[in-house]
Each structure stands twice: as structure tokens, then as C-alpha cells.
Amino acid sequence: MTDCERTSLYFDGELPPAEEPAVLDHLAGCARCQAELGDWIGIATAVSRSRTAAADAPDADAGAAGAAGPDADAGAAPNRPPALSPPRPRPRRRAWWIGGGAALAAAALLVLIVRLRPGPPGRSERPGPPAIALAETRSFEPRLTAPAFDRHRRYRVERGAAAHEVLPLEVLAGLERRRDLAGLAAAHLLAGDVTRATAALDALPATAARDSDRAAAALAAGEPLAALGLADAAVAQDPALGPALWNRALALQALDLPLVAAAALDRVAARGEPGWSADARARAAVLRAPFASRASDLAAYAAASRAMLAGTGPVIALDLARRHPGLARRDLYSALAVAGSADEVRDLVPLAAEIDRAAGDDRASRAVAQVMARDFAVRRRFRDRYRALVIGAPDPAPLAALIAELDRAGAAVADLEIGALLRAAPTAQTVAQLGRQISGDDPWFVVEAARHDARLRSAGGDMFGAERALLATAAACRDPAAALPCGNADLDLADFYLRTRRLDEADARLRAARTRLSAAGAPDHEDYALVFAVHLERLRDRDGVAAAYLEELGLRQPERCETVRFVDENRAVIAFAAGDLATARARLPEVGRCGRPPDAALIITAVDLARLGDPADRARANAQIAAARTGVASAAVAADIGAARLEIDADPAAGAARARAAITAAAALRAEPGTAGELRAWAMTTLIDGAGRRGDWSGALAVFGEELGRPPPAGCVVAVSSDNERSTAVVRGADGTLRGSYQPDRSPRVLGADTIVPPALIATLGGCPAIAVIARPPLHGQPDLLPAGLPWAFLGAAAPGAVARSPRSPGPPPSVPSGRPRRVLVTDVRPPVSLGLPPLAPAADADAVLVSGAGATPSRVRGELGDAAYVEIHAHGIVDLEASDAAFIALSPDADGRYALTAADVRATRLTGAPIVVLAACHAAVTARYQARRWSLPDAFLASGARAVIAGAAAIPDDQGAALFAELRARLDRGEPAVRAVAALRADRLAREQRWAAGLMVFE
């Protein structure tokens, strides 16, 4: 490629950043390129002017208070742009040219040429800092650390216009020549070029400033979760770094955590920086404004509602109903039920009309009309008892008797019967009665009846039946009139998904719940969603995000004992996980706070603190254990495991017996399968620790196999476990001898020289034809667990219906048995253009069913997988924590726009052909950071019936990957076991300096 051709690529934004300085040097002395560049500038300017004229609109000055940041994406989780790590589209024209005007652009070009032309002899070859003249206002909301770009300017944007700032080319050239990468990144971010900015930041050493600027880039890319993590890291390194504090506040605001964002802005304001402090105070005030009167407003509404329903006050004021439409509809239905005459019903007409205006229908008014036509002589007989039920006063009549009387009274009191049934404990009879009484005309009662049915199913252990009942409300929940019950149904589903550890689905339901409950004007219900969000982020091992939710919850409800207790308990858990023992001790709630026994999470933290040896911690843990035995079933099981954990070192037999009894008890927690699984894992950890401490390697290995659901295979085995400050490793080498390592006083580092498997144990694996690795989370899926040259594979849990193999065969069988079974090749996929993913070189396999092009959709791929014996998928792998907990594959979009093939999708697909699956995609082996469960694309394929999965944890260069996977296919076709084929390819590619190949792993 000629230098002039590279100049064209530079202008188009397609030149690799490393080549840009050479192109600028060439441009300074090439008249042809200068002329062509001038033409390109003129064209771009003309296009820009025409677009600006077409979209001209009045300025929207955000003022000192600042405008709210971009809304957080609340769409379907898998269908969103990828995280910051994957490639993003480069603009076809450099953003810093747009809107500049021909004269300015030409002047910039002239200055650039003059400055880049070699000067006279003796002149310094290193240019000084370029003068950077920025506009008086800024359109980039995050802060940047480069001093020239962090001068405060008033924030001002135009509605409907891209937020790009014109920067002369000489500025970029000067920054590049001086290797001022922080300044260069800042310039690119102002110009809207996140890709180039990220490349510049990646070349900087790790510092607080770099993390802060990376947070700014993540905000520009619409990734507030990544931005929060980066800003937190920057603040941890330098608590006084103003840009990091500012960017953290923006990330929190984008995550819909306004009070925490306001608190973060307070820290900026306290620094006294000219301009920035005033902006921070004004922004914080805007964020807090909706909460200033929230408590008093809710109290006023509650008092008005209670007075109306008790008959001691007027109908709820219309302005209150307007602010709380969902609550008002709920209370209107109750007020109609306790009305004793047509005149009392008539008084409710204005309230019904106001509720209908909010929903855009007439259902509330129709409900008023229906009740007005009923027999009040019959209704008055039940008025007092039903009123007591509604307002929570003691009711001497059993609820079941009231329901029976209402049922006999007939249609005149049908609405009272529905209300009483919904307040009763769910039974088969109440569910059947609701089915007879509810016509389906009002979505409010359709949804409430479904929630009643779901509670019955859940209590009986039919968790998936409960899910189906709740999902059946989808049509009713399209009606805004049902925002309150539908928001609560979303919370019910989120609770179910958390219990079953389907975290992506829980996330989507929590987003929907917060939106609906906010629309219903039910902020206390919306706050409850934050409790679920804390659990979600803790299960994802995203403690920084969980801590932000906890802080928001505490700021919203500082007076509620249960809320403060929940916040303290979870902050203690997070602090312990981070090694902050002082905070963990200080935050750990005292026994019996709020009159409630401790739950499982609190027991675990108290016990793990006690294991560190402090007598005071042990006394506290024993007190918590005793209190937990009077609590819910899961807490009682946790208490038994905690007692075993404290006992097993001193009395191994008694501790092990107690742990095994707790495992049996955990299996009975049918309504909490996720918690049951984690408690079982905690008990297994206790047994492994106990065996490791005693040097009982055979006993430890047996527990590893017990947890996995099958005996460890014969031959070479590595089994590893990490448990806070303790770790256990067991190795069986080629000679059959078991050896082990127990490390009681440090947290293992999996990567690098200090591995959890000591070098002496690794040395015993020489000569092993195949090594089965049993790695408990969080070690499962770590690519550097063993040396790349060894033939090892992760062993997954036994999958129901999977192909049975002899325990003497640790490696997966050859991929192609006799008879050439069905093969599937997925290649040349077309993910949405908005993802900015470049096309990949197509793969070829003459013996395979080809799934390619626009037809390579998630539904088509899943359909082809069913009876395949060999599957190879060439596509982009994406890691985006806002879309999926584990990596997913980007395919061509289905008709509904869905393009992501996630682990959950794969888990729902039955692989009857027991295939070997090759995931030729970047990051495809990246696992979710769950504490007690293996979860990734490879694990999902195994659970669905695959014999083995081959996938990588790193980015894969397309040209190198194509050659490697073609060679892998050839080796498998020759009958070479996958575990040995992958080991040979890893060693070969590492010898060629293709270091990404070290992340290639086998799962079986």
C-alpha cells in the first residue's frame, strides 16, 4: 500500500493508530496528498453544512445545573451493543472535521503542513506542547484528566445534534508527535471517536488517571456498568481525583441511582474546584429534588387512603391520585367494595375519571357504574367485615368463613369475594374460585389472580409452574392500567429467577419492574426492587454495583430498621470478600436486630470471620448460629453448616457428620433451589477443607467427585478448590499416586507463577496422556490453571442424558466416529451493523451442513444443533455484563431482531447427537463469576448433552484463528483425542508467539 493510500485511510478513520505518525510525516511533504486532503475536507464540510441546516433547532442550554445523562438502556438484555472490549465501528469520516467550516479546515491543514515540515538545522526536533483552544462550552459530559482538557466549561448541547467538538488537525498531530496519549485520548473522545481514544488509553500505564479516562470512554460508549467499575478503581487509587469522582457520579446516574450519584457529586463539590464544584452542587440538587418531599407525599397519600377506606375522611384528592395512579386504582376498587350506597359510589366518580385519564381507558369508570347497579342491601351485610380486612383492623370472623358467605351471596358481592380471595392464603379452592369470578375484562385482576396461582404452585415446589402462571400475564401487562400488579409480578418473576440462578432473566424483570412501579407512582414498591438488585449483583460477584444499590436503598429508607439491617448485613459480606475485616466486623448486625433471626448470608460471613481465629468473632458467630435455628429453613441449614465449619478442624468426624446432615437438609429446600445449591457447595467446601487439612487426599478427591455427580475418572486428575483464605489441590499423576497441597493462610492466585497447583504437584503430571481437571468456582474456566503444553480438560458436572463413557477414559472421544455422522459448520454470520463487528473470513468443510450468511440466526443454529455429532461455530464472541453473565455468540439476527446465542439459549437446547462443539469465537470460554455454580457457553453445551467443547478465553486474530481451527478439525478427523490435539496446538502456537492460543481450553 502506498503512502498516499494510507493518507486516504487516515482521513476515513480506518488507519491503525500505530501508523498515523508516519502518515502525518508523509503528508507534510507530499503536495498530491495535501491537495487531495483539501478536497476531502471541502466535501466533508459541505455535507456537514447540509446536514446541520436540515437539522437546525434552537439550542438547549443545560445551564449550571447540567442536563441529565443518557438514559440507561432498559431493553431486552441480549440485544444491545457490546461492551467496551469488543471492536466498535469507526466513523467513515473523522468526527473532528464535521461542522468546522471550509476556512477553518483549510487553515488547520496549512498550519499542520507548516509545523510538520522539517525546520532549520539546530532546531529542537521535539515540538513543544501545542496550544489547545477549546470552545467556551463543552458538549462532552464526562471529565478528562489531561490538564488542557479538564478546564471547566459550561455544559451545552443541541437537541438532535451529535455531541462532537471541532478540534483542528494540528492539535491531534502535535499530541501524537509528543506521545501525549492522555491528551490524544481526550481529543478523540471530544470528537466522538471512542475507538481511537480507547486505543490510546490502552497504551498508557495503569494509573488512577487512566482508569478515570477509561470510565469517561465507557460513558461515551453507553456502558455505565463498566464506567462505574473503572471509576471505582480510579477513586480507590486516588480518592482526591476530581474527574474520577465526577465520572463515577455520571455512571451512577445512568444506572438510575440518583441519591448515590448526588452523594458522589457532593464529594466533587467539596473539593472547591472553580466551576466544577458549582456544577456538582447544582446537579446534586436536581437529582435530590424528586426525593425531597417523597416521604411526606407518601405519608399524605397513605393517610388519605386509610381515611377514605375507613369512612372517616373524604375521597382521595385528585392531585394525590394523579401522582400515584396505581395506588389510587388499587384503593378505588377497595373503596367501591366498602361503599354502602349509590351516593357513596357516586362520590368516587371524579377519582375514577382521574385514574382513567392516566391509563387512557375507561375501566375505572365502568367499575364504578357496575357497582352502582348492584344490590346495596346485600353488600351492606359484609361491609364492616370487609372494611376490617382492607384496612388491617382485627376481624373476628375467619377469612375462610367470610369467603364462603360471599360466594353464597352471589353476583351482588362478586368484587368483594375477589378481594377477599386475593387476601387469603392460596389454596386449590381459592385459585379455582378466582378463576370462576374473574372475567378477564380487567387486566388488574387477571394479573393478581395469576400471582395468587403462582404463590400456590411455588409453595408446592412447582417452581416452573409458577413461572408459567406469571408469564401468562404478558398480554394483560401491555395495559398501563395494570402497572402496579404487573410491576409486582415482575418482582415475583425476578425472585423466582434469582432462586433458580437465571440471572440474566432476573435482571430483565427487575428493569421492567422498576419502570412499571415508577409509572404506577409506587416508590415504596420500586425501592423493594433494589433489594432484589442487591441480591442479583452479589450473585454476579459484582460487589461494587451491589454496594451502590445498597447505598441508594439506605439513602431512600434511612429510618426503616429492616432496610438498615439489610444494608449493614450486605455491606459486611462485601467488606469481608474484599478483605476489609474491620468494616465487616463493624457492619455485621447484632443478633436479633429488628426482631428477626439472621439469614444464610449473615451466618456465612460471621462463621468465615470466626475461622480467622479471633475469639470475639467466634463468640459472635456462635450467637448468630443459635439465633438462626429459629429462622427460616435455609438459615437453619446455614447454621448447621456453620457449626460444622467451626468444628471440623478440632473434631473432623463430628464436623463432617454435621456437614453431611446439612447437605441432606439442603436438598429439601425445594422452594429455594439456588440457595440450596449454594448451601450444598458451602458444605462441600467444608468437607474438602477438612480433608485437606488432615492430608486425606483420597477423601478430598471423593468429595470433589460427589459434588460433581460422578466419580473422578481413573488416570491423571487435578482437583482444586479455593475458599477465602484456604485452598486445596489434589493431583493424581501417571503412576497413580495421590499427592496434595493444603494452603490455609492465603487466597490463591490462579494466574502467573504463584498458582494454586504448586510446581511440585504439576511436575508429577509428566507423561499423562490426558488430565481431567475438576475446578470448583471461581477456578473453573481459568485458562492458566495448568501449563499450556499439558493435555488437560475441565471436567463438567454430569448432564442428564449425556453420552455415557467409561470412567477410565479421562479425555473426550475422537470427534468423528465411523460412518461420518452429521456435522454442522456455522460461518459468515451477519450480526447487526450497529455492533460494528467486522466480517470474518469464511470457513469451509465439505462434509458439513453449512449454516451461513443471513440464515445463521440463533433459532436456525439451535435447530441444526439437535442431532449433530460435530459443531463448529465461527463468529464473534462478546463479553457484555449488561447483556449476559457469561460470554455469548453474535449471530445473524432473527426476525424479532435477536442475534445473541447465550448460555441460557444453549441450555434450553437438547443435543441428542452428543457432539463435540468447537467455538471459534473470541472470549467464548469466559465464565460467569458465580460463587457456587459453573456457568458459561461451554458448560451450557455440556449440560445440553455435548461430549466436549473447545473454546478460548482470549481474543482470536481472524487469520491466525482460521488456520488453527482448520488444523484442529483435521486432527480430530484423524481420530486424535481433543485434549491432546488442543495441547499440541497450544504448544505450537505459543512457540510462534501466538499467545492468544494459551487460552484455548477443552471442557468435557
Side-chain angles (χ1 to χ4, degrees), residues 447-463:
V447 177
E448 289 290 18
R451 295 183 65 213
H452 191 79
D453 183 16
R455 285 194 292 272
L456 174 64
R457 294 174 184 272
S458 179
D462 183 10
M463 302 295 290

Side-chain angles (χ1 to χ4, degrees), residues 84 140-146 150 182 185-186 189 197-198 201 204-220 223 226-251 268 271 273:
L84 193 60
F140 187 67
E141 198 173 20
R143 282 183 66 176
L144 302 161
T145 61
D150 192 36
L189 285 174
T198 302
L201 292 171
L204 284 169
T207 62
R210 187 189 76 159
D211 283 341
S212 177
D213 286 342
R214 284 170 62 86
L219 288 167
E223 297 164 8
L228 179 60
L230 291 162
D232 279 341
V235 172
Q237 297 171 72
D238 185 354
L241 185 60
L245 295 170
W246 179 274
N247 294 339
R248 182 174 185 271
L250 294 187
V268 178
R271 290 174 48 76
E273 297 174 280

Side-chain angles (χ1 to χ4, degrees), residues 597-598 603 622-633 635-644 658:
I603 293 296
N622 283 325
Q624 297 282 12
I625 287 171
R629 298 191 191 283
T630 64
V632 298
V637 174
D640 286 339
I641 300 173
R658 192 187 292 270

Side-chain angles (χ1 to χ4, degrees), residues 674-750:
T675 300
E678 282 155 13
L679 289 172
R680 181 176 184 268
W682 197 39
M684 292 291 184
T685 300
T686 302
L687 294 172
I688 290 171
D689 280 354
R693 184 181 181 89
R694 298 189 305 273
D696 179 7
W697 310 125
S698 178
L701 187 59
V703 178
F704 277 104
E706 180 183 351
E707 184 179 41
L708 203 62
R710 57 182 172 190
C716 298
V717 174
V718 172
V720 289
S721 175
S722 169
D723 174 32
N724 291 320
E725 78 287 358
R726 308 182 184 200
S727 62
T728 304
V730 181
V731 170
R732 183 168 58 213
D735 62 357
T737 303
L738 279 177
R739 298 172 180 84
S741 168
Y742 176 73
Q743 302 174 42
D745 56 358
R746 68 173 180 86
S747 295
R749 286 179 294 178
V750 178

Side-chain angles (χ1 to χ4, degrees), residues 21-100:
V23 167
L24 292 173
D25 286 337
H26 167 77
L27 180 61
C30 179
R32 172 188 163 191
C33 287
Q34 293 169 19
E36 290 180 353
L37 185 58
D39 292 340
W40 297 332
I41 294 170
I43 293 170
T45 302
V47 171
S48 170
R49 283 179 169 174
S50 65
R51 289 176 177 171
T52 302
D56 191 25
D59 290 347
D61 191 348
D71 291 341
D73 186 359
N79 292 326
R80 55 177 294 120
L84 193 60
S85 52
R88 287 194 173 272
R90 293 177 184 248
R92 288 296 299 168
R93 288 287 180 263
R94 296 279 289 207
W96 34 265
W97 291 114
I98 303 303

Side-chain angles (χ1 to χ4, degrees), residues 79-135:
N79 292 326
R80 55 177 294 120
L84 193 60
S85 52
R88 287 194 173 272
R90 293 177 184 248
R92 288 296 299 168
R93 288 287 180 263
R94 296 279 289 207
W96 34 265
W97 291 114
I98 303 303
L104 176 61
L109 174 62
L110 179 60
V111 172
L112 169 71
I113 295 168
V114 171
R115 291 199 176 187
L116 291 184
R117 186 168 293 130
R123 181 178 176 179
S124 172
E125 294 183 4
R126 183 178 179 84
I132 301 176
L134 301 175

Side-chain angles (χ1 to χ4, degrees), residues 289-299 324 522-524 526-527 556-557:
F291 297 87
S293 61
R294 193 181 82 147
S296 59
D297 185 56
L298 274 176
H324 307 284
D524 50 345
E526 187 184 352
D527 290 350
R556 290 190 185 193
Q557 298 182 351

